[in-house]
Amino acid sequence: MRFFTEYIRKQFPALSVKVNEYPAAYFDGPGGTQVPQRVIDAMVDCLAYSNANAGGKFLTSQRSDQVVKGAREALADFLGACSEEIAFGQNMTTLTYQLALALARNPGYRNEIIITEIDHEANRGPWLALEERGFTIREVKMEPETCTIDMKDYQDKLSDKTLVAAFNYASNCVGTISDVKEMIRLAHQAGAITVVDAVHYALHGPIDVRDLDVDYLLCSAYKFFGPHIGVFYGKKERFAELPAYRLRTQKSAVPHCIETGTHNHEGIAGAAEAVEFIADLGKYFGNLEEGSRALSVPEWSERRRRVVAGMEMMELHEKPLADKLLDGLSNIDQVRVYGPPSGHARTSTIAFTVDGITPDQVAAKLGEKGVFVWSGHFYAIRPVERLGLDQSGGLVRVGICPYNTAVEIDRLLEQIRTIVASS
Ligand SMILES: Cc1ncc(COP(=O)(O)O)c(C=O)c1O
C-alpha cells in the first residue's frame, strides 16, 4: 500500500501547497478532488492542438471530434456502459434540470415523482421545480438515527402513478451508501423511470450501470480527479425516447440530443484522462487475477477491468483510514459523528459536530494548520435539516481520498483534540 500511496501522491502538484509551513492535507474531496498532472496535461494539450469546433473538415476539428469520441468510450468504461449512452454537460445539476424538463414534457397518468430526504439539492430541486407543471413530488424519509433511507416509506410511496424515482447512490453529507440496486428493482416493478445521482459515490466504488439496470445515472468528473464537467448516462432504449429540449440544428440522436451548445472540449479531455488515471491504478496495483471482480464480466474491455481493479484499490486504501478516523473521533467526548451504523455500506466521508464550536469555526481553525475540510450543509441541506443541525451551522465533513495518508489523519485528530481542549 505504501507504493500505491507514493505512486499517487507524486502525481498531484497541489500536494506541494503549504499553509503557515504546514503541508496541505486535502480532506475536501467530496467537494472536489485534486487533479493529477496528467489530467492537467491532457486539458492543455487539447487547448493547444485540438482547439476547434466540432464537425469541421480540417485537422484540429477532426482532432477535437476524436477527443470527444474517445472520452465517451472512456466514460463508458468507467460506468460499464456503451459510448452512445454517454453525454457530457455543464455539471450534474444542469444535466438533471435538462433531464427533468424532458421527462415532464409529455405528462400522462403518471404524475408523481419520488425524491428523498437524504439527497443533495441537485437531485431534488430539478424535480421539485416540476410541481409548477402539475406533478406531485413525494419525499421519502431518511431515518435520522441511522442516516439511511426508510425503505418501507420508499415502497409505500411507489405506485402506478410514479413517473420517476430519483435518489443518490451515496450521500455526500454523511457517506451512507444506499441499496440502489434494490431501489431500482422496486421502482421498475412499479413501472417508474430511475435516476441515480452517483456524484458522491463515483470516487468510492466501481459503478456498473448494467448490473444496476438503472435508466439514468449522473456524475461529475471533478469528484474523481477530473475537471468541472458533468457526465450523463442514459440507458439506450430509454434515452432514445427522451424528448430533450434541443435546437433544430442539433443532432436528435443519442447521446447528442441532450448536449446543448458547444462542448467544453478541454474538460471532456480531462475527464477521459481521469478515467485513465484510475485504470492505471488498476493496471499497476489491482487484482487482475482469476477470481477478481474485475474479471467478473467476460465482455468487459481491458480498460473497464482496470478501472474496476483501480476502484477496488482506492477502496482498500481508504477503508482503514476511515476506520482510524472514526475510531479517533469516537474517543473525543465532545465530538458527535453522524452517519450510518457500523457495518452498513458507506463511503470514507465522515461528518461530525464538536460541542460548543460551530462547524465553520472548526474548519477555519483546521484550515490555519493546513488541514482542509468543509463545513455547513454542502448543498445536502435536507439531511442537515432532518438531523436538526440547520440552525447550528451544519456539520464538519472530512472526505478521504487515495492521496490521503495515516499521518494526515493523525494531524487532523490531533488538531481536533487541541481545538476541543482550548474551547
Ligand atoms: C451527491 C451530489 N450530488 C450532486 C452534486 C452536484 O454536482 P454538480 O456540481 O456537478 O452539479 C454534488 C456536488 O457536490 C454532490 O455531492
Side-chain angles (χ1 to χ4, degrees):
M1 239 29 208
R2 186 164 63 83
F3 295 117
F4 177 75
T5 316
E6 278 170 12
Y7 170 84
I8 288 185
R9 283 184 67 86
K10 67 177 184 222
Q11 299 193 54
F12 287 82
L15 297 181
S16 64
V17 169
K18 288 201 167 144
V19 181
N20 304 328
E21 299 305 310
Y22 299 100
Y26 295 90
F27 289 113
D28 59 336
T33 54
Q34 297 309 306
V35 178
Q37 186 62 49
R38 58 189 286 174
V39 169
I40 300 167
D41 291 345
M43 295 176 72
V44 170
D45 193 74
C46 178
L47 284 167
Y49 305 111
S50 310
N51 193 25
N53 221 328
K57 311 288 176 234
F58 53 92
L59 182 69
T60 47
S61 178
Q62 283 152 358
R63 280 186 184 159
S64 85
D65 286 347
Q66 273 309 314
V67 165
V68 177
K69 182 173 177 290
R72 289 194 209 281
E73 287 160 5
L75 271 298
D77 280 342
F78 185 62
L79 299 175
C82 61
S83 60
E84 312 91 88
E85 296 175 313
I86 302 294
F88 296 104
Q90 191 178 343
N91 48 48
M92 177 275 181
T93 306
T94 309
L95 283 165
T96 306
Y97 267 112
Q98 287 176 269
L99 178 61
L101 289 174
L103 288 172
R105 227 167 156 186
N106 303 319
Y109 172 75
R110 287 182 181 267
N111 65 354
E112 292 186 2
I113 293 188
I114 292 191
I115 60 171
T116 89
E117 285 183 348
I118 204 171
D119 268 78
H120 186 285
E121 277 305 295
N123 201 27
R124 292 168 44 85
W127 307 111
L128 284 163
L130 299 185
E131 248 168 349
E132 65 187 32
R133 296 183 181 222
F135 283 86
T136 301
I137 314 301
R138 312 198 70 189
E139 190 183 26
V140 177
K141 291 197 187 80
M142 175 188 87
E143 315 239 25
E145 301 73 33
T146 58
C147 295
T148 54
I149 295 277
D150 179 339
M151 284 298 277
K152 168 145 192 340
D153 191 43
Y154 175 62
Q155 290 193 53
D156 289 349
K157 290 202 159 101
L158 280 169
S159 77
D160 65 351
K161 299 205 80 185
T162 312
L163 178 69
V164 172
F167 41 84
N168 70 33
Y169 204 142
S171 159
N172 68 311
C173 178
V174 286
T176 309
I177 297 179
S178 293
D179 187 355
V180 282
K181 192 168 174 185
E182 177 62 2
M183 291 175 81
I184 291 163
R185 191 187 68 77
L186 291 167
H188 284 167
Q189 223 170 46
I193 296 167
T194 49
V195 179
V196 168
D197 167 4
V199 173
H200 180 60
Y201 183 78
L203 183 70
H204 299 286
I207 296 173
D208 186 344
V209 290
R210 294 273 176 273
D211 182 53
L212 292 175
D213 194 28
V214 62
D215 297 307
Y216 296 100
L217 179 140
L218 297 96
C219 56
S220 265
Y222 73 99
K223 309 284 187 178
F224 53 90
F225 315 119
H228 295 86
I229 187 152
V231 181
F232 175 102
Y233 159 81
K235 190 194 277 174
K236 220 199 270 167
E237 49 278 30
R238 283 270 188 216
F239 194 8
E241 288 170 3
L242 185 74
Y245 284 94
R246 61 179 176 81
L247 307 180
R248 70 187 169 125
T249 43
Q250 197 180 325
K251 288 184 196 160
S252 59
V254 294
H256 314 281
C257 55
I258 200 158
E259 296 179 324
T260 46
T262 307
H263 270 315
N264 170 357
H265 294 139
E266 62 277 17
I268 290 172
E273 194 60 26
V275 173
E276 298 293 353
F277 169 74
I278 294 170
D280 271 358
L281 298 181
K283 177 177 164 192
Y284 297 129
F285 300 97
N287 174 15
L288 290 161
E289 310 280 302
E290 211 176 312
S292 128
R293 206 157 129 207
L295 301 182
S296 59
V297 179
E299 303 80 48
W300 278 351
S301 70
E302 186 60 28
R303 179 169 53 195
R304 168 77 183 151
R305 288 184 182 156
R306 290 176 181 171
V307 163
V308 171
M311 295 302 306
E312 285 178 344
M313 280 309 293
M314 299 201 299
E315 280 177 281
L316 268 178
H317 172 79
E318 290 172 15
K319 171 88 171 60
L321 296 183
D323 288 346
K324 181 179 169 71
L325 178 60
L326 280 169
D327 193 45
L329 290 173
S330 69
N331 287 324
I332 307 174
D333 286 345
Q334 294 83 346
V335 167
R336 177 161 175 204
V337 175
Y338 293 79
S342 147
H344 191 285
R346 66 164 309 144
T347 68
S348 54
T349 295
I350 291 158
F352 59 92
T353 53
V354 182
D355 286 351
I357 317 172
T358 67
D360 275 356
Q361 287 168 332
V362 175
K365 282 182 187 296
L366 290 171
E368 284 164 17
K369 305 287 181 192
V371 177
F372 301 168
V373 302
W374 275 106
S375 50
H377 57 63
F378 337 108
Y379 282 34
I381 194 162
R382 193 68 181 123
V384 168
E385 284 168 350
R386 290 289 290 128
L387 293 172
L389 299 171
D390 49 315
Q391 298 303 316
S392 53
L395 291 151
V396 180
R397 182 183 67 182
V398 178
I400 297 172
C401 277
Y403 44 70
N404 291 126
T405 65
V407 172
E408 290 178 339
I409 302 280
D410 284 334
R411 272 177 65 197
L412 170 64
L413 286 168
E414 190 192 315
Q415 287 309 323
I416 291 169
R417 284 191 286 266
T418 307
I419 293 169
V420 166
S422 59
S423 69

